[in-house]
Amino acid sequence: MTRLILWLALLLVTACQTQLLGQNSVTEKVTLSGKLIAENNDKIALSEVFLYQTENNILIKTELTNENGEFVFVGIPKGNYTLKTNWKDEIITVTSITIQSETNLGTLTVKTQPQQLQEVVVERKKPFIERSEGKMILNLDSNIGSAGSSAFEVLEKAPSVNIDDNDNISLRGKNNVLVQIDGKLTPMTGTNLGNYLRGIPSNAVDKIEFITNPSSKYDASGTAIINIKMKKDKRKGTNGSVSVAYGQGVYPKSNNGITLNHRNKKVALFGNYSFAYREGFNKLLLVRQFYENNNFIGAYDQDNFLKMDFRNHIGRVGMDYYVNDKHTFGISVNKVSNRFNPNGENATDVYDENNVLSSRFRTSNRSKDHWQNHSVNLNHKVVLDTLGTEIITDFDYADYGNKTEQNFTTRYLDLNNVEFQNPYLLYGDVNGDLDIFSLKSDFVTTFKNKLKLESGYKTSYVKADNNLAFFDRSSGINVFDPTKSNHFIYKENINAVYVNSSKTFGKWSAQLGLRIENTNITGEQLVDNTSFKNSYTQLFPSLFVSYNLNDKNSLEFNYSRRIARPSYDQLNPFKFYLDPTTYKEGNPFLNPETTHSLEITHVLNQKIYTTLNFSRTNNNIAEVIAPSDTDAQVTIQTNKNLDTFDLYGLFIVMPLEFTKWWSSTNSINGYYGAYSGTIANTTIQNKGNFNYNMNSVNNFKITKSFTSELTANYRAREIYAFMDVNPIWFINLGFQKKFKNNSSLKLVVNDVFYTNRTTADTEFTNYKEGFKVSRDTRVAILSYTYNFGTSNNQARRRTGGADDLKQRAGSSNG
């Protein structure tokens, strides 16, 4: 382990030294500010301002003017620059300047100068991967392969992201990652979250932010944050877009959506609707071997095929009202509905202690699911001065509900396929309801000495009421089964305050924060009349320091302490059956996990990023598939606490431009994860391996309006606690044609060679398991997008403050 750390450190130092050779000058960073007005003296408010390096026309930084047309660029190297702005849908050059010290340009008049459309396109093109304020950002419009698919499939192909066969998402080796939609956490994990993301069309997604070490400003939940930001038109007038897509794998898929916006000086109205119909399958081949005192006593050889058809509706409407330059009120309402009918067939061959086939059983699953949610956000923003002092307040309410009917029929057969006992009929009636209330307020101010202070508070209340009733229908009537049924009620109250301060000192920038969270929870299982109660208060500090070595090189140091509370799904002691010998259930006695995380990043030319990271997680929440404590031949998929999880990692992003027509963005994520703990009478100590993932996105410019893309992804073998996962690789192809009417046509083929399949082995004391999972991953997708409307920018669009709750509900709404 020591050698690994030294090797990683040496690699980073060598990379830094290589880039520093020959760099003799150290450039001091300064501040540039000013105010923009139009020729008629109107303030140019809420518009983008671009700062370009004059010598090579490289975009250095982008800012947004405030309600008074004022802008500030902080941390700019001395040099020659060109200032441009996006005004009335035109990229306009405002002025050329030379900066040697802190500069205020005063009031600048923007004169309308029509430009060629092609020039505008070149100016605003974004790289596929960029980095900002410690976040890695994927811009989906710059990635052809994202077209016509779903948010889930985009994440599955993203650099440093792994998704296992149960749809659990990890980022750079970190598990228990929180997923947000426009800054609001989704109340799901695992399969429920995966089904929700499959219902979101990728054409509706603008970009995805990966925050591996969030500051104290963010809710302390989760080891890292993935924020999926939806597209929002920022122009005045009436505008929008329409997109349609059809995909064909083994089964058909379709994603369609429409977005409408209207804005004038006082009111901004927005709305969007999308519908996704997707048929898919999950084929699971499973061999389970049972032992007693290390002696083989039997095995199951299982073939499971599950087909699902998702019909997902997502709608959102809202309004922002600009009272004046200082006050803005907003409201948004969301509705999600997802219906799907899982139909499964399970064929199991039973082997005796001599490994001889002795019998068979067949299980059919005919279920119906309806998951839905409604949410509303009320918000207010007040600007107190021209230095950026503001108070933002959010109130959120969300209701998540699900109704599931499960019908299982199991037939027991001899070797001649003759039934030797009556079929077992199991019926499950699952009803879940989750209510979330949240109130938060954030205060931001900047002092004259450029010290920025952020503080705020948040309080939330959550109630989850889940009622599961199972009935044995084998005799022709419903017989209640208390061993499989449960009624679980969970209540949670979290109160938090935070303070965050940041300042730039010449070549140094620092941010220091502290968050305090008080948690109060109760849980009741009404079937067996048991309950639990817990209350605790914890501190979550964060520190971010950056140092600009020169105009090409900079270093960043980042530390934070975080907590991952069990999701409501993970706590829910319900049973979801695959067959009579295999089921999934929650664990109401899970403890939250806490993580200390450190990162050191070197940035070269704002393009090449190299990050070393280490994290220590206590009470690590791990998903396991292990034998039951009461029946050795029954397998349970659940979550348990391990003692510790140590992660050592190296992450590199390197964009390359080989020719004028061929460019690529490449990333490699190498890490060593070491697990320690005891589950199912099996103890592991620092168990893990060195693992790496590689991703390469290659873009080819065939003509000005026709481009293609090739994406390759490889994931090496990984040991995840008790599971050993084999390598995976896949290749995607994409083509795009842009038309003069502001529309585009894309053709994408995902998983061209149908290699994106998971195989793994699991081993516990007296139990071994091997499995292979296949899905409908090889899909050809044709999509068309048309944009329409009028121009000029806006920036206001609130998303809400229920930031740490909706990820954990365990109730799927899509």
Side-chain angles (χ1 to χ4, degrees):
M1 186 61 63
T2 303
R3 292 181 179 178
L4 177 64
I5 300 173
L6 292 174
W7 179 79
L8 294 176
L10 180 62
L11 182 62
L12 179 63
V13 172
T14 302
C16 293
Q17 289 177 336
T18 302
Q19 300 302 329
L20 289 173
L21 288 175
Q23 304 293 330
N24 297 319
S25 63
V26 176
T27 305
E28 182 182 353
K29 297 297 181 74
V30 296
T31 298
L32 173 67
S33 60
K35 179 178 180 179
L36 299 182
I37 62 172
E39 292 177 282
N40 61 359
N41 291 323
D42 283 349
K43 288 173 284 192
I44 298 183
L46 307 176
S47 294
E48 292 169 305
V49 184
F50 310 102
L51 191 66
Y52 284 82
Q53 199 173 68
T54 303
E55 289 81 0
N56 47 26
N57 200 34
I58 293 177
L59 178 62
I60 300 299
K61 203 168 186 181
T62 302
E63 292 291 351
L64 203 68
T65 60
N66 63 15
E67 288 83 352
N68 297 314
E70 297 163 330
F71 63 88
V72 178
F73 289 96
V74 179
I76 304 300
K78 296 179 180 179
N80 300 317
Y81 296 98
T82 300
L83 190 72
K84 303 182 182 183
T85 186
N86 188 346
W87 176 238
K88 293 185 177 180
D89 208 27
E90 298 173 7
I91 304 298
I92 301 174
T93 299
V94 180
T95 185
S96 296
I97 49 177
T98 299
I99 304 175
Q100 295 297 330
S101 60
E102 184 168 323
T103 303
N104 187 320
L105 299 175
T107 300
L108 303 172
T109 301
V110 176
K111 299 181 179 180
T112 304
Q113 299 172 348
Q115 297 185 2
Q116 296 297 321
L117 179 61
Q118 288 182 348
E119 184 176 350
V120 175
V121 173
V122 173
E123 296 266 17
R124 304 202 59 184
K125 182 174 177 59
K126 295 181 180 179
F128 174 50
I129 298 179
E130 60 180 342
R131 182 178 174 85
S132 173
E133 298 178 346
K135 299 181 290 189
M136 184 182 77
I137 301 172
L138 294 190
N139 295 301
L140 266 62
D141 280 344
S142 301
N143 180 238
I144 299 173
S146 302
S149 60
S150 67
F152 179 87
E153 291 163 311
V154 171
L155 277 180
E156 196 172 32
K157 296 179 286 187
S160 72
V161 173
N162 284 349
I163 302 179
D164 67 17
D165 59 296
N166 295 309
D167 293 347
N168 295 303
I169 300 173
S170 63
L171 177 62
R172 295 194 201 170
K174 294 181 178 181
N175 301 301
N176 299 307
V177 175
L178 298 187
V179 177
Q180 299 179 350
I181 307 295
D182 279 335
K184 301 178 69 174
L185 274 74
T186 53
M188 303 154 248
T189 56
T191 302
N192 295 331
L193 176 60
N195 291 338
Y196 173 67
L197 295 176
R198 289 183 181 94
I200 299 178
S202 60
N203 292 339
V205 179
D206 178 30
K207 58 186 176 182
I208 303 178
E209 299 176 338
F210 301 89
I211 311 172
T212 54
N213 228 8
S215 72
S216 299
K217 176 182 178 180
Y218 294 88
D219 297 293
S221 299
T223 57
I225 295 174
I226 296 176
N227 184 25
I228 300 173
K229 304 197 74 170
M230 310 301 287
K231 288 181 178 177
K232 304 178 184 69
D233 204 304
K234 299 180 178 180
R235 297 171 295 175
K236 283 184 179 179
T238 302
N239 45 71
S241 65
V242 177
S243 63
V244 293
Y246 177 81
Q248 183 67 51
V250 176
Y251 298 106
K253 302 155 191 2
S254 178
N255 284 326
N256 310 281
I258 182 170
T259 299
L260 292 171
N261 301 272
H262 175 78
R263 181 178 184 244
N264 55 38
K265 290 184 177 181
K266 282 292 186 180
V267 177
L269 301 173
F270 51 91
N272 56 64
Y273 167 77
S274 64
F275 172 72
Y277 177 81
R278 304 178 64 83
E279 293 184 24
F281 70 86
N282 186 307
K283 183 175 179 60
L284 171 64
L285 301 178
L286 183 65
V287 176
R288 298 157 56 191
Q289 298 176 325
F290 307 98
Y291 297 82
E292 188 174 298
N293 297 323
N294 293 323
N295 295 315
F296 179 79
I297 60 172
Y300 291 157
D301 189 346
Q302 300 181 300
D303 186 338
N304 304 276
F305 185 85
L306 183 67
K307 181 178 181 294
M308 292 178 287
D309 55 338
F310 296 94
R311 296 173 300 282
N312 189 286
H313 300 265
I314 301 177
R316 179 174 185 247
V317 294
M319 178 184 73
D320 294 328
Y321 176 61
Y322 303 87
V323 181
N324 50 43
D325 290 343
K326 297 184 180 295
H327 291 272
T328 307
F329 291 91
I331 180 174
S332 64
V333 179
N334 298 268
K335 164 71 176 177
V336 179
S337 174
N338 186 26
R339 295 180 184 270
F340 54 100
N341 300 318
N343 291 324
E345 298 292 338
N346 170 278
T348 300
D349 291 340
V350 181
Y351 292 82
D352 61 19
E353 66 274 8
N354 297 313
N355 205 21
V356 175
L357 181 63
S358 59
S359 64
R360 300 184 173 98
F361 63 84
R362 304 289 184 261
T363 299
S364 297
N365 171 16
R366 300 292 182 267
S367 300
K368 295 181 179 180
D369 286 75
H370 184 202
W371 302 73
Q372 60 181 332
N373 88 271
H374 315 80
S375 62
V376 61
N377 167 257
L378 303 174
N379 58 80
H380 171 243
K381 175 181 177 181
V382 55
V383 178
L384 301 178
D385 58 34
T386 59
L387 294 176
T389 302
E390 61 185 29
I391 299 175
I392 303 174
T393 302
D394 286 275
F395 170 77
D396 284 271
Y397 169 72
D399 170 68
Y400 294 82
N402 67 282
K403 181 174 179 57
T404 301
E405 292 186 14
Q406 300 178 344
N407 286 280
F408 299 94
T409 301
T410 302
R411 298 178 297 115
Y412 299 91
L413 311 172
D414 61 20
L415 297 183
N416 297 315
N417 289 325
V418 176
E419 294 189 34
F420 60 86
Q421 69 181 60
N422 292 330
Y424 174 52
L425 278 65
L426 182 65
Y427 171 76
D429 184 11
V430 181
N431 292 279
D433 185 69
L434 173 71
D435 292 301
I436 297 175
F437 300 86
S438 172
L439 176 66
K440 65 172 292 191
S441 186
D442 299 285
F443 171 79
V444 181
T445 188
T446 302
F447 298 99
K448 292 183 178 180
N449 61 358
K450 305 302 180 183
L451 174 67
K452 183 178 181 180
L453 180 67
E454 301 171 284
S455 63
Y457 72 88
K458 179 176 179 179
T459 183
S460 63
Y461 174 77
V462 176
K463 181 181 179 181
D465 188 339
N466 295 284
N467 191 2
L468 171 64
F470 269 109
F471 299 89
D472 186 343
R473 290 182 166 179
S474 304
S475 61
I477 61 173
N478 284 341
V479 179
F480 182 72
D481 188 342
T483 64
K484 296 181 174 64
S485 305
N486 210 328
H487 188 178
F488 181 61
I489 298 176
Y490 177 84
K491 299 177 182 178
E492 176 185 271
N493 166 239
I494 299 177
N495 306 288
V497 295
Y498 78 90
V499 61
N500 218 45
S501 61
S502 59
K503 184 174 172 56
T504 299
F505 308 87
K507 295 175 291 181
W508 291 89
S509 294
Q511 182 184 97
L512 179 65
L514 178 65
R515 188 179 188 91
I516 305 174
E517 291 194 352
N518 168 254
T519 305
N520 307 280
I521 60 175
T522 60
E524 297 179 84
Q525 297 188 75
L526 302 185
V527 171
D528 58 7
N529 198 29
T530 60
S531 63
F532 61 88
K533 187 176 183 180
N534 195 10
S535 180
Y536 54 89
T537 300
Q538 294 192 356
L539 304 179
F540 302 97
S542 66
L543 174 65
F544 177 82
V545 178
S546 66
Y547 179 69
N548 294 299
L549 298 167
N550 49 51
D551 56 356
K552 292 186 177 182
N553 295 270
S554 64
L555 291 174
E556 299 174 356
F557 172 82
N558 201 341
Y559 163 78
S560 69
R561 180 180 186 266
R562 300 189 60 76
I563 186 172
R565 301 178 181 89
S567 72
Y568 312 119
D569 181 38
Q570 292 171 334
L571 292 169
N572 192 343
F574 285 179
K575 294 180 174 65
F576 297 91
Y577 282 87
L578 180 65
D579 60 62
T581 65
T582 312
Y583 63 87
K584 175 184 177 181
E585 70 173 348
N587 177 7
F589 303 105
L590 273 178
N591 292 314
E593 66 175 36
T594 56
T595 300
H596 293 272
S597 181
L598 295 167
E599 289 185 355
I600 300 176
T601 300
H602 172 252
V603 182
L604 173 64
N605 285 334
Q606 292 298 317
K607 289 184 177 181
I608 300 176
Y609 314 110
T610 305
T611 300
L612 281 170
N613 64 278
F614 167 77
S615 64
R616 158 63 66 93
T617 300
N618 296 308
N619 288 324
N620 179 67
I621 298 174
E623 184 171 67
V624 295
I625 303 174
S628 167
D629 294 332
T630 57
D631 189 340
Q633 294 192 352
V634 172
T635 303
I636 303 174
Q637 177 184 329
T638 188
N639 289 272
K640 298 284 185 72
N641 285 112
L642 290 171
D643 293 338
T644 60
F645 170 54
D646 292 337
L647 180 68
Y648 309 81
L650 171 66
F651 181 61
I652 301 174
V653 176
M654 182 178 295
L656 299 172
E657 189 165 341
F658 301 105
T659 67
K660 291 183 178 180
W661 52 269
W662 177 17
S663 62
S664 74
T665 301
N666 308 280
S667 67
I668 181 169
N669 179 43
Y671 59 90
Y672 185 95
Y675 298 85
S676 299
T678 301
I679 294 176
N681 298 317
T682 306
T683 299
I684 54 176
Q685 187 67 36
N686 293 324
K687 185 177 180 180
N689 73 319
F690 179 75
N691 176 50
Y692 61 94
N693 306 326
M694 295 187 295
N695 182 277
S696 180
V697 180
N698 296 268
N699 292 283
F700 305 93
K701 186 176 181 180
I702 301 172
T703 68
K704 289 184 178 180
S705 61
F706 185 57
T707 55
S708 65
E709 181 180 278
L710 183 148
T711 300
N713 194 301
Y714 177 79
R715 303 172 189 169
R717 170 181 173 240
E718 179 178 13
I719 295 177
Y720 171 66
F722 302 91
M723 186 181 298
D724 192 339
V725 184
N726 292 324
I728 300 173
W729 67 275
F730 54 87
I731 290 177
N732 307 316
L733 288 174
F735 303 89
Q736 175 178 253
K737 171 65 177 179
K738 291 187 175 181
F739 301 99
K740 292 182 178 180
N741 66 345
N742 207 19
S743 67
S744 63
L745 183 69
K746 297 180 182 180
L747 174 65
V748 176
V749 181
N750 289 322
D751 194 11
V752 175
F753 301 104
Y754 197 41
T755 54
N756 189 6
R757 290 174 282 183
T758 301
T759 59
D761 297 291
T762 299
E763 184 171 349
F764 290 90
T765 301
N766 292 325
Y767 177 78
K768 294 181 181 179
E769 174 182 297
F771 66 84
K772 180 179 181 179
V773 178
S774 302
R775 291 173 172 161
D776 200 2
T777 54
R778 182 163 58 186
V779 182
I781 304 169
L782 185 66
S783 68
Y784 178 77
T785 301
Y786 173 67
N787 300 294
F788 58 89
T790 54
S791 62
N792 205 20
N793 288 352
Q794 74 176 75
R796 167 74 176 171
R797 196 62 58 80
R798 293 291 299 154
T799 57
D803 289 343
D804 64 337
L805 306 169
K806 298 183 178 181
Q807 174 75 18
R808 300 170 46 228
S811 304
S812 174
N813 58 1

